[in-house]
């Protein structure tokens, strides 16, 4: 096991069980400063003299949520400049052992190990610790955690202990995150993730409050809902005989059997639904724009303004150099470089299409299940004697939706496990050139798989279920066998809400189990030897070896989980205003679970730099735009809002109660004698002559028998007009808000310019002083031209 520490000497030590040999590597000062210059690491040159922002008088209200200043800002704010060995006296080097932060030392040692040659094979150099790990020479390589106790020396900080006490405990859930300390201990890449997650959670609070208000509006107005009143009224809903829900086996039923479900559907299908859909379209824009500003501030505070990720962009992956056997001469460098094999790329794309098709096939299988069991539920839940409800809220449609949602969730979890392996396999076959390219390609594949896997069932319920049913006597069948299922008489929105709740809540519960309980059990089992060994025999490196591996893709899975959740609360939020509240509660737990497992359950990850959340930003932008379209279609085609509004303004005949009569108006009449043998129920004990169904068609005695009425076309036109108007209004507001909010705050721009000016001035003054010293000492190399050029650069710096 190779342990990355922060002396050129390697120290070997055998473990207590005699089976594992540990090699500890420590980088001395000379190595650190050499590679700090190679990696262009910025270090302090002068304490920041830019005055801090004016304090907000309301900040005193946030005092309970604040952490101690020593935890929030473990280091003073400095002006920084790229390190140079020739100018060491320029930098604020008070103590060589603490000048470079733990994450910097971590990154430098890892950089050396990933490029260290160790032999040749067939004329090719073999290098890098990753290759040694892959071929089994070493079983693991990891940086050491701090000791798991409070430091006895008050001048010696134990950052791991501080992070655990102030960040990783759930009882601190209401406190802000110590982002600077996270960055110092784990590196910028992990720090930027927790900054994004914390900001996302803060923004969810506003969405959750508005969502709860919309839900309460539906709750308090349930008794005023005229539609459910008419359905529950024995004189209206009790006298309306509905057509059978399935062929042959099902019987006629009375509309008032769906009384409870129609009452509860009003919780989510009301005027507040429209308001909340528009609000969330604007909220998404505010979230993304404010995050850009927050990200810009972090880039300045964490010295990432000029960071272009050269290491990730220019460093070739060892796998790329090893697997790309074909060579091509670079026209610029005139050197041979590895060449992609396009045949493999073609196979990769075919593989992606195949696996996406398999997801769609599994969704079709769930739809077939819904159609097959729908008839069974419909026949079981009917009472042939009185036609009264026997199951309360559980209608055949809802029973089918609940069982299908649970089955779909199980399939999603199984497919996720398979697709994770498939996506990595396909990306490995593509042989991306750099680490950044590898991560971006894997991200897009995994997101595509997850998008289809998680959202396909919700898209089916929202946009397809109940839309292609046909009508009695001319029903539409899937594969000419299974009759397409109808929506609940109260609408499909309540079924979409059920589907969304089960999949979203189930995913969050399962995710927390995987992230927290599974690593804890694995570590508990692996640390059994610690029970019989005293602390002085069970060393720090052995304890870390027994922890779980975070892995290079550890953050990738964290981002993926949150982005899928983001899709649930944006794409389908019009059907479930409480979705942001569920996401908020999950994220409050998620932050503490992620921090707890990083601090206690996982080996310390290798530090990496990142100035943004990367490709996830583009994915979030795409989902934000798509969410406007999906919510507009949900309000128009899944909810009953547009038909009710058309009836209210165009077809109502009662001025005192405009919505009375809506239920009767929304149900068409069918003559039972017109049933073909395939659809006709086996029995009709009460001798019904007509039944009703949900549609807008002419009655059997009309000359345009069973064709769509003019009201149907009016409603369709109103739905399309609503979609166009809502999309344009929300998009205009979104783009206006995005234009109004600058991506980089004005004070950050000023600070960046001020710091660049001062650092250039300091560096030029330093060079000028050195030249003066050389001139005074009679150094012939220090010419008058050098002196004039240095003064000229100073003047140019001032002018800029």
């Amino acid at each position: 096991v190779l342990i990355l520490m922060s002396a050129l000497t390697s120290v070997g030590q055998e473990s207590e069980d005699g089976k594992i040999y540990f090699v500890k590597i420590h980088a001395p000062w000379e190595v650190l400063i050499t590679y700090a210059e190679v990696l262009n690491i910025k270090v302090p040159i002068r304490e920041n003299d830019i005055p801090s922002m004016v304090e907000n008088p309301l900040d005193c209200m946030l005092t309970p949520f604040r952490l101690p200043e020593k935890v929030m800002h473990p280091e003073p704010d400095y002006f920084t400049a790229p390190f140079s060995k020739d100018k060491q006296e320029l930098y604020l080097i008070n103590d060589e052992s603490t000048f470079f932060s733990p994450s910097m030392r971590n990154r430098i040692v890892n950089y050396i190990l990933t490029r260290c040659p160790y032999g040749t094979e067939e004329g090719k150099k073999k290098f890098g610790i990753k290759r040694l790990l892959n071929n089994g020479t070493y079983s693991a390589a990891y940086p050491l955690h701090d000791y798991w106790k409070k430091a006895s020396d008050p001048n010696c900080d134990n950052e791991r202990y501080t992070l655990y006490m102030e960040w990783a405990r759930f009882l601190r859930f209401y406190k802000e995150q110590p982002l600077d300390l996270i960055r110092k201990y784990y590196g910028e890449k992990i720090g930027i993730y927790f900054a994004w997650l914390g900001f996302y959670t803060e923004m969810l609070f506003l969405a959750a409050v508005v969502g709860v208000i919309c839900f309460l509006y539906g709750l308090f107005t349930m008794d005023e809902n005229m539609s459910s009143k008419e359905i529950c009224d024995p004189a209206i809903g009790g006298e309306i005989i509905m057509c059978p829900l399935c062929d042959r086996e099902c019987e006629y039923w009375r509309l008032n059997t769906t009384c409870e479900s129609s009452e509860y559907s009003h919780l989510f299908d009301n005027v507040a639904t429209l308001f909340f859909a528009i609000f969330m379209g604007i909220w998404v824009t505010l979230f993304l724009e404010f995050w850009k500003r927050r990200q810009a501030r972090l880039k300045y505070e964490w010295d990432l303004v000029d960071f272009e990720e050269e290491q990730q962009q220019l460093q070739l992956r060892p796998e790329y150099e090893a697997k790309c056997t074909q060579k091509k001469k670079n026209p610029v460098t005139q050197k041979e470089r590895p060449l992609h094999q396009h045949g493999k790329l073609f196979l990769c794309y075919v593989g992606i299409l195949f696996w996406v098709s398999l997801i769609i096939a599994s969704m079709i299988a769930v739809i077939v299940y819904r159609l097959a069991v729908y008839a069974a539920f419909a026949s079981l839940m009917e009472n042939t004697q009185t036609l009264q409800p026997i199951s309360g809220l559980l209608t055949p449609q809802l029973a089918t939706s609940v069982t299908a949602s649970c089955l779909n969730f199980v399939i999603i979890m199984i497919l996720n496990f398979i697709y994770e392996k498939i996506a990595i396999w396909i990306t490995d076959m593509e042989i991306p050139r750099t680490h950044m390219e590898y991560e971006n390609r894997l991200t897009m594949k995994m997101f595509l798989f997850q998008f289809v896997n998680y959202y396909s069932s919700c898209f089916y319920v929202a946009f397809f279920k109940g839309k292609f049913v046909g009508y009695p006597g001319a029903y539409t069948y899937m594969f000419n066998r299974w009759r397409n299922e109808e929506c609940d008489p109260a609408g499909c929105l309540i079924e979409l809400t059920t589907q969304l709740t089960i999949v979203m809540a189930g995913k969050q519960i399962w995710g927390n189990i995987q992230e927290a309980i599974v690593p804890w059990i694995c570590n508990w089992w692996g640390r059994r030897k610690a029970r019989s060994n005293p602390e002085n025999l069970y060393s720090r490196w052995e304890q870390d070896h027994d922890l779980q591996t975070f892995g290079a893709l550890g953050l990738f899975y964290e981002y993926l989980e949150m982005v899928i959740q983001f899709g649930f609360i944006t794409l389908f939020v019009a059907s479930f205003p409480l979705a942001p509240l569920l996401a908020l509660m999950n994220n409050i737990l998620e932050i503490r679970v992620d921090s707890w497992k990083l601090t206690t359950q996982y080996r310390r990850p290798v530090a990496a730099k990142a100035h943004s959340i990367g490709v996830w930003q583009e994915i979030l932008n795409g989902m934000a735009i798509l969410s406007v379209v999906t919510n507009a279609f949900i309000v128009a085609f899944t909810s009953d809002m547009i038909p009710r509004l058309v009836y209210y303004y165009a077809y109502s005949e009662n001025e005192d109660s405009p919505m009375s009569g809506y239920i009767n108006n929304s149900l068409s009449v069918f003559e039972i004698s017109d049933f073909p043998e395939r659809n006709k129920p086996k029995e009709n004990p009460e001798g019904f002559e007509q039944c009703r169904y949900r549609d807008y068609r002419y009655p059997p005695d009309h000359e345009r028998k069973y064709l769509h009425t003019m009201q149907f076309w009016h409603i369709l036109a109103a739905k399309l007009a609503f979609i166009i108007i809502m999309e344009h209004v929300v998009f205009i507001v979104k783009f206006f808000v995005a234009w109004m909010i600058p991506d980089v705050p004005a004070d950050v721009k000023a600070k960046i310019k001020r710091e660049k000016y001062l650092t250039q001035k300091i560096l030029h003054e330093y060079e000028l002083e050195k030249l003066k010293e050389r001139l005074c000492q009679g150094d012939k190399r220090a010419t008058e031209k050098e002196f004039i050029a240095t003064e000229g650069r100073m003047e140019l710096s001032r002018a800029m």
Side-chain angles (χ1 to χ4, degrees):
V1 178
L2 198 63
I3 303 169
L4 316 185
M5 297 179 67
S6 23
L8 193 55
T9 56
S10 299
V11 182
Q13 183 168 341
E14 193 174 336
S15 66
E16 183 68 19
D17 59 11
K19 297 179 180 178
I20 304 173
Y21 197 82
F22 293 91
V23 180
K24 293 174 283 181
I25 296 180
H26 178 89
W29 173 253
E30 284 299 320
V31 173
L32 289 174
I33 60 176
T34 299
Y35 281 91
E37 186 171 8
V38 170
L39 294 175
N40 206 33
I41 290 176
K42 289 185 175 182
V43 293
I45 58 174
R46 180 182 292 181
E47 194 160 341
N48 195 330
D49 62 353
I50 300 176
S52 58
M53 295 177 61
V54 179
E55 290 190 6
N56 190 332
L58 298 178
D59 280 351
C60 59
M61 299 175 61
L62 302 176
T63 303
F65 308 103
R66 301 290 189 197
L67 286 173
E69 184 66 17
K70 179 61 178 175
V71 177
M72 284 302 297
H73 304 288
E75 295 175 335
D77 192 14
Y78 295 104
F79 291 137
T80 59
F83 186 82
S84 173
K85 289 178 67 175
D86 299 332
K87 304 173 183 176
Q88 290 188 44
E89 62 270 23
L90 181 65
Y91 307 107
L92 301 178
I93 306 176
N94 300 320
D95 184 353
E96 291 182 357
S97 63
T98 60
F99 180 67
F100 294 104
S101 69
S103 62
M104 287 180 184
R105 299 198 304 271
N106 181 332
R107 193 158 65 93
I108 290 171
V109 174
N110 183 67
Y111 181 85
I112 298 170
L113 289 176
T114 54
R115 288 159 180 76
C116 183
Y118 61 86
T120 57
E121 183 179 347
E122 298 178 358
K124 292 179 64 177
K125 287 184 178 181
K126 296 190 291 184
F127 60 90
I129 185 62
K130 289 183 180 179
R131 192 164 181 175
L132 290 172
L133 290 170
N134 291 336
N135 64 24
T137 304
Y138 285 94
S139 61
Y142 53 87
L144 274 179
H145 269 300
D146 284 351
Y147 277 92
W148 187 237
K149 286 182 179 179
K150 186 176 181 179
S152 55
D153 185 354
N155 297 320
C156 181
D157 294 332
N158 188 328
E159 291 161 356
R160 185 190 186 194
Y161 179 80
T162 304
L163 284 171
Y164 174 74
M165 297 300 295
E166 302 291 347
W167 178 50
R169 295 190 301 164
F170 182 73
L171 293 178
R172 314 291 280 178
F173 73 90
Y174 61 94
K175 294 285 189 179
E176 60 185 337
Q177 297 186 84
L179 295 176
D180 287 350
L181 189 58
I182 297 169
R183 172 233 181 178
K184 183 182 177 184
Y185 191 74
Y186 289 113
E188 287 82 0
K189 194 170 185 178
I190 289 178
I192 205 81
Y193 163 73
F194 280 103
W196 175 80
L197 180 57
F199 184 80
Y200 172 44
T201 305
E202 291 171 13
M203 290 294 291
L204 273 176
F205 180 78
L206 175 61
V209 169
V210 177
V212 170
I213 292 172
C214 293
F215 176 78
L216 292 176
Y217 171 83
L219 182 64
F220 293 142
T221 57
M222 279 180 64
D223 296 335
E224 302 171 12
N225 183 22
M226 183 58 68
S227 299
S228 59
K229 282 183 178 179
E230 291 188 345
I231 290 175
C232 297
D233 190 345
I236 302 176
E239 296 299 323
I240 295 178
I241 307 301
M242 301 297 292
C243 294
L245 298 172
C246 63
D247 296 336
R248 302 294 293 166
E249 301 297 329
C250 297
E251 299 180 358
Y252 305 98
W253 53 285
R254 298 186 189 277
L255 184 60
N256 66 344
T257 58
T258 62
C259 174
E260 287 87 351
S261 65
S262 66
E263 288 179 336
Y264 283 97
S265 69
H266 180 72
L267 289 172
F268 308 105
D269 191 1
N270 52 66
V271 178
T273 301
L274 172 59
F275 166 77
F276 193 59
I278 296 173
F279 167 80
M280 287 302 293
I282 299 170
W283 175 88
V284 168
T285 304
L286 291 173
F287 163 63
L288 294 175
E289 292 302 317
F290 284 136
W291 165 245
K292 290 177 185 177
R293 292 170 62 84
R294 176 72 173 125
Q295 191 169 255
R297 194 175 295 278
L298 284 175
K299 283 174 67 174
Y300 167 72
E301 293 174 354
W302 291 357
D303 293 324
L304 299 170
V305 173
D306 298 321
F307 176 64
E308 298 295 339
E309 304 192 23
E310 298 99 339
Q311 181 179 345
Q312 291 91 333
Q313 291 175 356
L314 301 178
Q315 178 194 350
L316 294 178
R317 296 173 63 242
E319 295 87 348
Y320 176 79
E321 296 183 294
K323 293 180 181 179
C324 285
T325 55
Q326 298 181 12
K327 304 287 184 178
K328 180 182 179 181
K329 184 175 287 188
N330 189 317
V332 178
T333 62
Q334 294 297 309
K335 294 181 179 179
E336 289 189 338
R337 64 180 182 183
L339 182 66
H340 271 300
Q341 298 178 16
H342 296 286
K344 285 188 176 181
L345 289 177
F346 175 75
L347 289 175
C348 293
Y349 297 138
V350 172
I352 293 171
L353 290 175
F354 171 76
W355 289 105
V356 171
S357 302
L358 186 60
I359 299 177
I360 297 173
S362 68
M363 181 193 72
I364 294 173
V366 174
I367 294 173
V368 169
Y369 164 83
R370 298 174 70 106
L371 302 181
V373 303
Y374 178 70
F377 278 122
S379 59
L380 285 173
M381 291 183 178
E382 288 177 348
N383 188 314
T384 56
Q385 300 297 321
T386 61
L387 299 181
Q388 293 299 314
I390 62 170
S391 54
L393 285 174
L394 199 62
T395 61
Q397 292 91 339
L398 194 58
T400 303
S401 185
V402 170
T403 56
S405 298
C406 295
L407 176 64
N408 186 64
F409 176 71
V410 173
I411 293 175
I412 286 172
M413 292 296 105
I414 295 173
L415 292 179
N416 271 351
F417 176 78
I418 298 173
Y419 292 147
E420 178 184 322
K421 310 298 181 185
I422 297 299
I424 294 174
W425 176 68
I426 292 176
T427 308
D428 288 340
M429 281 185 63
E430 292 179 359
I431 321 177
R433 294 181 70 252
T434 65
H435 293 285
M436 176 181 288
E437 189 178 338
Y438 180 89
E439 191 168 321
N440 287 348
R441 289 191 182 189
L442 180 62
T443 296
M444 295 308 298
K445 288 183 188 65
M446 282 294 291
F447 178 72
L448 176 63
F449 289 150
Q450 298 267 19
F451 185 92
V452 179
N453 200 17
Y454 275 107
Y455 303 142
S456 57
S457 57
C458 293
F459 272 103
Y460 166 73
V461 175
F463 306 124
F464 295 98
K465 182 181 177 182
K467 309 299 186 294
F468 310 100
V469 177
Y471 64 95
Y475 287 118
T476 304
Y477 290 82
M478 187 176 188
F479 304 131
N480 202 32
R481 179 176 179 181
W482 292 286
R483 178 173 138 189
N484 286 353
E485 58 181 328
E486 303 175 33
C487 285
D488 192 281
C492 267
L493 199 70
I494 189 69
E495 295 182 53
L496 177 58
T497 304
T498 304
Q499 177 80 24
L500 186 66
T501 305
I502 291 175
V503 176
M504 181 179 175
K507 181 187 181 303
Q508 293 182 166
I509 294 170
W510 179 252
N512 286 322
I513 291 173
Q514 278 187 311
E515 290 186 22
I517 298 177
V518 172
W520 181 83
I521 292 175
C522 294
N523 288 333
W524 172 83
W525 185 257
R527 285 197 305 261
R528 288 172 299 158
K529 61 182 179 182
R531 302 172 193 166
S532 57
N533 287 344
E535 181 70 22
N536 60 342
L537 294 180
Y538 192 46
S539 60
R540 166 79 272 143
W541 43 90
E542 287 184 279
Q543 293 176 38
D544 283 8
H545 181 260
D546 291 336
L547 296 177
Q548 299 298 298
T549 305
F550 190 65
L553 297 176
L555 273 187
F556 165 79
Y557 295 115
E558 301 296 341
Y559 275 118
L560 182 63
E561 179 186 4
M562 289 295 103
V563 170
I564 292 297
Q565 182 204 84
F566 181 82
F568 280 124
I569 69 164
T570 54
L571 297 177
F572 309 101
V573 74
S575 66
F576 190 35
L578 294 181
L581 180 63
L582 287 181
L584 174 65
M585 293 189 295
N586 174 79
N587 288 7
I588 292 173
L589 180 63
E590 180 78 19
I591 291 174
R592 304 304 158 179
V593 168
D594 286 349
S595 57
W596 171 77
K597 72 182 186 184
L598 265 178
T599 310
T600 65
Q601 303 301 308
Y602 283 87
R603 295 172 187 163
R604 187 174 181 175
V606 174
K609 270 197 169 187
H611 68 290
S612 68
I613 61 174
V615 70
W616 298 109
Q617 184 79 37
E618 300 304 319
I619 291 174
L620 292 174
N621 288 333
M623 294 181 75
I625 294 172
L626 180 61
S627 68
V628 177
V629 179
T630 55
N631 283 303
F633 272 85
I634 287 172
V635 174
F637 286 98
T638 310
S639 79
D640 263 359
M641 182 176 296
I642 303 301
R644 286 200 294 262
L645 290 175
V646 171
Y647 178 82
Y648 183 92
Y649 288 107
Y651 290 91
S652 177
E653 298 176 355
N654 189 335
E655 294 183 0
D656 297 330
S657 180
M659 287 307 296
S660 61
Y662 168 73
I663 292 299
N664 186 62
N665 176 267
S666 64
L667 298 173
S668 299
V669 179
F670 183 77
E671 192 73 33
I672 290 177
S673 59
D674 292 337
F675 262 127
E677 196 61 31
R678 179 179 184 177
N679 307 128
K680 193 174 184 179
K682 293 179 180 179
E683 297 180 359
N684 184 7
E686 297 192 31
F688 298 124
E689 296 181 357
Q690 292 182 334
C691 65
R692 309 293 293 274
Y693 59 100
R694 187 181 174 85
D695 207 343
Y696 294 92
R697 295 180 182 271
Y698 288 109
D701 56 355
H702 195 276
E703 60 181 5
R704 303 187 65 188
K705 177 179 179 181
Y706 301 140
L707 294 178
H708 283 123
T709 64
M710 189 56 66
Q711 186 176 353
F712 170 84
W713 300 110
H714 287 165
I715 292 173
L716 181 60
K719 289 179 177 180
L720 297 176
F722 169 81
I723 291 172
I724 294 171
I725 293 171
M726 178 180 168
E727 285 182 359
H728 280 72
V729 168
V730 176
F731 277 133
I732 289 172
V733 174
K734 278 169 64 71
F735 293 137
F736 178 75
V737 169
W739 174 75
M740 285 287 293
I741 302 175
D743 291 348
V744 182
D747 66 305
V748 173
K749 285 183 179 179
K751 287 180 178 180
I752 292 172
K753 292 178 181 178
R754 169 73 174 164
E755 181 166 348
K756 283 186 175 180
Y757 164 71
L758 288 177
T759 52
Q760 286 177 356
K761 181 182 176 183
I762 292 168
L763 290 171
H764 293 160
E765 286 178 348
Y766 173 81
E767 292 176 4
L768 193 60
E769 290 298 322
K770 284 295 182 182
L771 282 171
K772 287 179 179 179
E773 289 178 9
R774 288 161 61 188
L775 283 170
C776 293
Q777 295 171 1
D779 190 347
K780 301 298 184 181
R781 291 176 297 174
T783 63
E784 186 177 352
K785 288 183 179 180
E786 286 182 281
F787 187 80
I788 295 171
T790 303
E791 283 194 319
R793 286 198 297 270
M794 289 180 63
E795 291 297 329
L796 179 61
S797 176
R798 293 190 190 100
M800 292 173 65

